[in-house]
PDB file of all heavy atoms in Angstrom:
ATOM      1  N   GLU A   5     -39.480  30.650 -55.041  1.00  0.00           N
ATOM      2  CA  GLU A   5     -39.437  31.744 -54.074  1.00  0.00           C
ATOM      3  C   GLU A   5     -39.400  31.147 -52.687  1.00  0.00           C
ATOM      4  O   GLU A   5     -40.236  30.316 -52.336  1.00  0.00           O
ATOM      5  CB  GLU A   5     -40.660  32.661 -54.219  1.00  0.00           C
ATOM      6  CG  GLU A   5     -40.645  33.824 -53.280  1.00  0.00           C
ATOM      7  CD  GLU A   5     -41.782  34.827 -53.522  1.00  0.00           C
ATOM      8  OE1 GLU A   5     -42.421  34.749 -54.583  1.00  0.00           O
ATOM      9  OE2 GLU A   5     -42.005  35.669 -52.643  1.00  0.00           O
ATOM     10  N   ALA A   7     -39.679  31.561 -48.570  1.00  0.00           N
ATOM     11  CA  ALA A   7     -40.448  32.397 -47.641  1.00  0.00           C
ATOM     12  C   ALA A   7     -40.119  31.985 -46.218  1.00  0.00           C
ATOM     13  O   ALA A   7     -39.682  30.852 -45.973  1.00  0.00           O
ATOM     14  CB  ALA A   7     -41.936  32.243 -47.920  1.00  0.00           C
ATOM     15  N   SER A   8     -40.327  32.906 -45.292  1.00  0.00           N
ATOM     16  CA  SER A   8     -40.042  32.596 -43.894  1.00  0.00           C
ATOM     17  C   SER A   8     -41.231  31.960 -43.188  1.00  0.00           C
ATOM     18  O   SER A   8     -41.113  31.509 -42.057  1.00  0.00           O
ATOM     19  CB  SER A   8     -39.631  33.884 -43.154  1.00  0.00           C
ATOM     20  OG  SER A   8     -40.646  34.858 -43.293  1.00  0.00           O
ATOM     21  N   ARG A   9     -42.376  31.942 -43.852  1.00  0.00           N
ATOM     22  CA  ARG A   9     -43.594  31.350 -43.251  1.00  0.00           C
ATOM     23  C   ARG A   9     -44.271  30.444 -44.260  1.00  0.00           C
ATOM     24  O   ARG A   9     -44.104  30.593 -45.462  1.00  0.00           O
ATOM     25  CB  ARG A   9     -44.585  32.450 -42.851  1.00  0.00           C
ATOM     26  CG  ARG A   9     -44.104  33.300 -41.700  1.00  0.00           C
ATOM     27  CD  ARG A   9     -45.091  34.408 -41.398  1.00  0.00           C
ATOM     28  NE  ARG A   9     -44.964  35.443 -42.410  1.00  0.00           N
ATOM     29  CZ  ARG A   9     -45.995  36.149 -42.891  1.00  0.00           C
ATOM     30  NH1 ARG A   9     -47.205  35.935 -42.477  1.00  0.00           N
ATOM     31  NH2 ARG A   9     -45.800  37.062 -43.803  1.00  0.00           N
ATOM     32  N   SER A  17     -49.191  35.271 -51.773  1.00  0.00           N
ATOM     33  CA  SER A  17     -48.230  36.255 -52.257  1.00  0.00           C
ATOM     34  C   SER A  17     -47.227  35.613 -53.236  1.00  0.00           C
ATOM     35  O   SER A  17     -46.954  36.173 -54.297  1.00  0.00           O
ATOM     36  CB  SER A  17     -47.489  36.869 -51.064  1.00  0.00           C
ATOM     37  OG  SER A  17     -46.490  37.745 -51.493  1.00  0.00           O
ATOM     38  N   ASN A  21     -46.756  36.382 -57.224  1.00  0.00           N
ATOM     39  CA  ASN A  21     -45.449  36.712 -57.770  1.00  0.00           C
ATOM     40  C   ASN A  21     -45.087  35.776 -58.925  1.00  0.00           C
ATOM     41  O   ASN A  21     -44.508  36.205 -59.924  1.00  0.00           O
ATOM     42  CB  ASN A  21     -44.376  36.654 -56.678  1.00  0.00           C
ATOM     43  CG  ASN A  21     -44.532  37.747 -55.654  1.00  0.00           C
ATOM     44  OD1 ASN A  21     -45.184  38.757 -55.889  1.00  0.00           O
ATOM     45  ND2 ASN A  21     -43.962  37.540 -54.484  1.00  0.00           N
ATOM     46  N   LEU A 101     -32.835  36.605 -47.045  1.00  0.00           N
ATOM     47  CA  LEU A 101     -33.890  35.987 -47.844  1.00  0.00           C
ATOM     48  C   LEU A 101     -34.035  36.664 -49.195  1.00  0.00           C
ATOM     49  O   LEU A 101     -34.241  35.999 -50.214  1.00  0.00           O
ATOM     50  CB  LEU A 101     -35.220  36.041 -47.060  1.00  0.00           C
ATOM     51  CG  LEU A 101     -36.383  35.261 -47.618  1.00  0.00           C
ATOM     52  CD1 LEU A 101     -36.074  33.763 -47.675  1.00  0.00           C
ATOM     53  CD2 LEU A 101     -37.639  35.501 -46.782  1.00  0.00           C
ATOM     54  N   SER A 102     -33.897  37.982 -49.243  1.00  0.00           N
ATOM     55  CA  SER A 102     -34.019  38.715 -50.501  1.00  0.00           C
ATOM     56  C   SER A 102     -32.922  38.303 -51.479  1.00  0.00           C
ATOM     57  O   SER A 102     -33.171  38.089 -52.663  1.00  0.00           O
ATOM     58  CB  SER A 102     -33.969  40.224 -50.267  1.00  0.00           C
ATOM     59  OG  SER A 102     -35.067  40.628 -49.479  1.00  0.00           O
ATOM     60  N   ASN A 105     -33.626  34.840 -52.825  1.00  0.00           N
ATOM     61  CA  ASN A 105     -34.678  34.851 -53.856  1.00  0.00           C
ATOM     62  C   ASN A 105     -34.189  35.455 -55.176  1.00  0.00           C
ATOM     63  O   ASN A 105     -34.598  34.993 -56.236  1.00  0.00           O
ATOM     64  CB  ASN A 105     -35.929  35.577 -53.333  1.00  0.00           C
ATOM     65  CG  ASN A 105     -36.740  34.675 -52.412  1.00  0.00           C
ATOM     66  OD1 ASN A 105     -36.824  33.465 -52.637  1.00  0.00           O
ATOM     67  ND2 ASN A 105     -37.339  35.260 -51.388  1.00  0.00           N
ATOM     68  N   ARG A 149     -50.754  40.741 -52.077  1.00  0.00           N
ATOM     69  CA  ARG A 149     -49.360  41.024 -51.778  1.00  0.00           C
ATOM     70  C   ARG A 149     -49.214  41.734 -50.439  1.00  0.00           C
ATOM     71  O   ARG A 149     -48.141  41.772 -49.858  1.00  0.00           O
ATOM     72  CB  ARG A 149     -48.753  41.901 -52.882  1.00  0.00           C
ATOM     73  CG  ARG A 149     -48.418  41.129 -54.131  1.00  0.00           C
ATOM     74  CD  ARG A 149     -47.599  41.990 -55.076  1.00  0.00           C
ATOM     75  NE  ARG A 149     -47.068  41.202 -56.160  1.00  0.00           N
ATOM     76  CZ  ARG A 149     -47.285  41.482 -57.449  1.00  0.00           C
ATOM     77  NH1 ARG A 149     -47.994  42.534 -57.799  1.00  0.00           N
ATOM     78  NH2 ARG A 149     -46.766  40.715 -58.378  1.00  0.00           N
ATOM     79  N   PHE A 163     -44.676  41.863 -37.167  1.00  0.00           N
ATOM     80  CA  PHE A 163     -44.582  41.227 -38.492  1.00  0.00           C
ATOM     81  C   PHE A 163     -43.458  40.217 -38.465  1.00  0.00           C
ATOM     82  O   PHE A 163     -42.329  40.558 -38.128  1.00  0.00           O
ATOM     83  CB  PHE A 163     -44.342  42.282 -39.588  1.00  0.00           C
ATOM     84  CG  PHE A 163     -44.378  41.725 -40.976  1.00  0.00           C
ATOM     85  CD1 PHE A 163     -45.569  41.347 -41.554  1.00  0.00           C
ATOM     86  CD2 PHE A 163     -43.210  41.553 -41.705  1.00  0.00           C
ATOM     87  CE1 PHE A 163     -45.614  40.820 -42.840  1.00  0.00           C
ATOM     88  CE2 PHE A 163     -43.227  41.033 -42.992  1.00  0.00           C
ATOM     89  CZ  PHE A 163     -44.437  40.666 -43.556  1.00  0.00           C
ATOM     90  N   ASP A 164     -43.764  38.973 -38.774  1.00  0.00           N
ATOM     91  CA  ASP A 164     -42.776  37.882 -38.748  1.00  0.00           C
ATOM     92  C   ASP A 164     -42.039  37.801 -37.414  1.00  0.00           C
ATOM     93  O   ASP A 164     -40.837  37.556 -37.346  1.00  0.00           O
ATOM     94  CB  ASP A 164     -41.760  38.041 -39.882  1.00  0.00           C
ATOM     95  CG  ASP A 164     -42.266  37.461 -41.198  1.00  0.00           C
ATOM     96  OD1 ASP A 164     -43.385  36.899 -41.210  1.00  0.00           O
ATOM     97  OD2 ASP A 164     -41.547  37.558 -42.204  1.00  0.00           O
ATOM     98  N   ILE A 181     -49.005  45.733 -44.918  1.00  0.00           N
ATOM     99  CA  ILE A 181     -47.560  45.516 -44.998  1.00  0.00           C
ATOM    100  C   ILE A 181     -47.239  44.637 -46.189  1.00  0.00           C
ATOM    101  O   ILE A 181     -47.917  43.636 -46.427  1.00  0.00           O
ATOM    102  CB  ILE A 181     -47.047  44.871 -43.689  1.00  0.00           C
ATOM    103  CG1 ILE A 181     -47.283  45.854 -42.543  1.00  0.00           C
ATOM    104  CG2 ILE A 181     -45.588  44.504 -43.799  1.00  0.00           C
ATOM    105  CD1 ILE A 181     -46.974  45.310 -41.186  1.00  0.00           C
ATOM    106  N   GLU A 182     -46.213  45.005 -46.936  1.00  0.00           N
ATOM    107  CA  GLU A 182     -45.765  44.211 -48.060  1.00  0.00           C
ATOM    108  C   GLU A 182     -44.267  43.956 -47.907  1.00  0.00           C
ATOM    109  O   GLU A 182     -43.507  44.854 -47.621  1.00  0.00           O
ATOM    110  CB  GLU A 182     -45.995  44.959 -49.377  1.00  0.00           C
ATOM    111  CG  GLU A 182     -45.476  44.211 -50.594  1.00  0.00           C
ATOM    112  CD  GLU A 182     -45.501  45.061 -51.849  1.00  0.00           C
ATOM    113  OE1 GLU A 182     -45.274  46.277 -51.774  1.00  0.00           O
ATOM    114  OE2 GLU A 182     -45.735  44.487 -52.917  1.00  0.00           O
ATOM    115  N   ARG A 183     -43.880  42.698 -48.102  1.00  0.00           N
ATOM    116  CA  ARG A 183     -42.454  42.376 -48.080  1.00  0.00           C
ATOM    117  C   ARG A 183     -41.911  42.678 -49.480  1.00  0.00           C
ATOM    118  O   ARG A 183     -42.416  42.191 -50.470  1.00  0.00           O
ATOM    119  CB  ARG A 183     -42.237  40.910 -47.762  1.00  0.00           C
ATOM    120  CG  ARG A 183     -40.770  40.536 -47.723  1.00  0.00           C
ATOM    121  CD  ARG A 183     -40.574  39.067 -47.522  1.00  0.00           C
ATOM    122  NE  ARG A 183     -41.219  38.563 -46.349  1.00  0.00           N
ATOM    123  CZ  ARG A 183     -40.720  38.683 -45.113  1.00  0.00           C
ATOM    124  NH1 ARG A 183     -39.579  39.292 -44.932  1.00  0.00           N
ATOM    125  NH2 ARG A 183     -41.358  38.180 -44.085  1.00  0.00           N
ATOM    126  N   LEU A 184     -40.879  43.499 -49.554  1.00  0.00           N
ATOM    127  CA  LEU A 184     -40.258  43.819 -50.824  1.00  0.00           C
ATOM    128  C   LEU A 184     -39.005  42.979 -51.019  1.00  0.00           C
ATOM    129  O   LEU A 184     -38.334  42.616 -50.053  1.00  0.00           O
ATOM    130  CB  LEU A 184     -39.889  45.314 -50.876  1.00  0.00           C
ATOM    131  CG  LEU A 184     -41.077  46.274 -50.804  1.00  0.00           C
ATOM    132  CD1 LEU A 184     -40.586  47.700 -50.790  1.00  0.00           C
ATOM    133  CD2 LEU A 184     -42.010  46.052 -51.957  1.00  0.00           C
ATOM    134  N   ALA A 185     -38.664  42.699 -52.245  1.00  0.00           N
ATOM    135  CA  ALA A 185     -37.529  41.828 -52.549  1.00  0.00           C
ATOM    136  C   ALA A 185     -36.213  42.391 -52.039  1.00  0.00           C
ATOM    137  O   ALA A 185     -35.327  41.672 -51.662  1.00  0.00           O
ATOM    138  CB  ALA A 185     -37.449  41.588 -54.046  1.00  0.00           C
ATOM    139  N   SER A 187     -35.719  44.687 -49.435  1.00  0.00           N
ATOM    140  CA  SER A 187     -35.958  45.513 -48.266  1.00  0.00           C
ATOM    141  C   SER A 187     -35.604  44.793 -46.996  1.00  0.00           C
ATOM    142  O   SER A 187     -35.261  43.617 -46.968  1.00  0.00           O
ATOM    143  CB  SER A 187     -37.418  45.906 -48.211  1.00  0.00           C
ATOM    144  OG  SER A 187     -38.181  44.766 -47.892  1.00  0.00           O
ATOM    145  N   GLN A 188     -35.703  45.510 -45.907  1.00  0.00           N
ATOM    146  CA  GLN A 188     -35.601  44.916 -44.582  1.00  0.00           C
ATOM    147  C   GLN A 188     -36.882  44.099 -44.351  1.00  0.00           C
ATOM    148  O   GLN A 188     -37.843  44.206 -45.104  1.00  0.00           O
ATOM    149  CB  GLN A 188     -35.482  46.037 -43.534  1.00  0.00           C
ATOM    150  CG  GLN A 188     -34.196  46.838 -43.665  1.00  0.00           C
ATOM    151  CD  GLN A 188     -32.985  45.949 -43.489  1.00  0.00           C
ATOM    152  OE1 GLN A 188     -32.930  45.146 -42.590  1.00  0.00           O
ATOM    153  NE2 GLN A 188     -32.010  46.092 -44.381  1.00  0.00           N
ATOM    154  N   PRO A 189     -36.927  43.283 -43.277  1.00  0.00           N
ATOM    155  CA  PRO A 189     -38.048  42.356 -43.094  1.00  0.00           C
ATOM    156  C   PRO A 189     -39.430  42.989 -43.191  1.00  0.00           C
ATOM    157  O   PRO A 189     -40.339  42.409 -43.751  1.00  0.00           O
ATOM    158  CB  PRO A 189     -37.806  41.793 -41.717  1.00  0.00           C
ATOM    159  CG  PRO A 189     -36.337  41.828 -41.550  1.00  0.00           C
ATOM    160  CD  PRO A 189     -35.889  43.069 -42.288  1.00  0.00           C
ATOM    161  N   ILE A 190     -39.644  44.198 -42.670  1.00  0.00           N
ATOM    162  CA  ILE A 190     -40.999  44.748 -42.697  1.00  0.00           C
ATOM    163  C   ILE A 190     -41.399  45.205 -44.083  1.00  0.00           C
ATOM    164  O   ILE A 190     -42.565  45.323 -44.388  1.00  0.00           O
ATOM    165  CB  ILE A 190     -41.178  45.884 -41.674  1.00  0.00           C
ATOM    166  CG1 ILE A 190     -42.654  46.159 -41.442  1.00  0.00           C
ATOM    167  CG2 ILE A 190     -40.474  47.142 -42.146  1.00  0.00           C
ATOM    168  CD1 ILE A 190     -42.974  47.037 -40.306  1.00  0.00           C
ATOM    169  N   GLY A 191     -40.432  45.426 -44.955  1.00  0.00           N
ATOM    170  CA  GLY A 191     -40.790  45.849 -46.299  1.00  0.00           C
ATOM    171  C   GLY A 191     -41.398  47.232 -46.309  1.00  0.00           C
ATOM    172  O   GLY A 191     -40.882  48.152 -45.715  1.00  0.00           O
ATOM    173  N   ARG A 192     -42.547  47.363 -46.925  1.00  0.00           N
ATOM    174  CA  ARG A 192     -43.194  48.649 -47.125  1.00  0.00           C
ATOM    175  C   ARG A 192     -44.492  48.646 -46.331  1.00  0.00           C
ATOM    176  O   ARG A 192     -45.150  47.631 -46.231  1.00  0.00           O
ATOM    177  CB  ARG A 192     -43.447  48.812 -48.599  1.00  0.00           C
ATOM    178  CG  ARG A 192     -43.837  50.162 -49.018  1.00  0.00           C
ATOM    179  CD  ARG A 192     -43.751  50.302 -50.514  1.00  0.00           C
ATOM    180  NE  ARG A 192     -44.376  49.215 -51.228  1.00  0.00           N
ATOM    181  CZ  ARG A 192     -44.686  49.250 -52.510  1.00  0.00           C
ATOM    182  NH1 ARG A 192     -44.389  50.322 -53.220  1.00  0.00           N
ATOM    183  NH2 ARG A 192     -45.255  48.239 -53.114  1.00  0.00           N
TER     184      ARG A 192
END
Side-chain angles (χ1 to χ4, degrees):
E5 182 174 346
S8 56
R9 292 177 285 144
S17 176
N21 292 340
L101 189 62
S102 297
N105 281 324
R149 283 190 170 124
F163 186 73
D164 276 358
I181 296 174
E182 177 190 35
R183 181 185 304 280
L184 296 177
S187 70
Q188 295 300 314
I190 196 168
R192 193 167 47 165

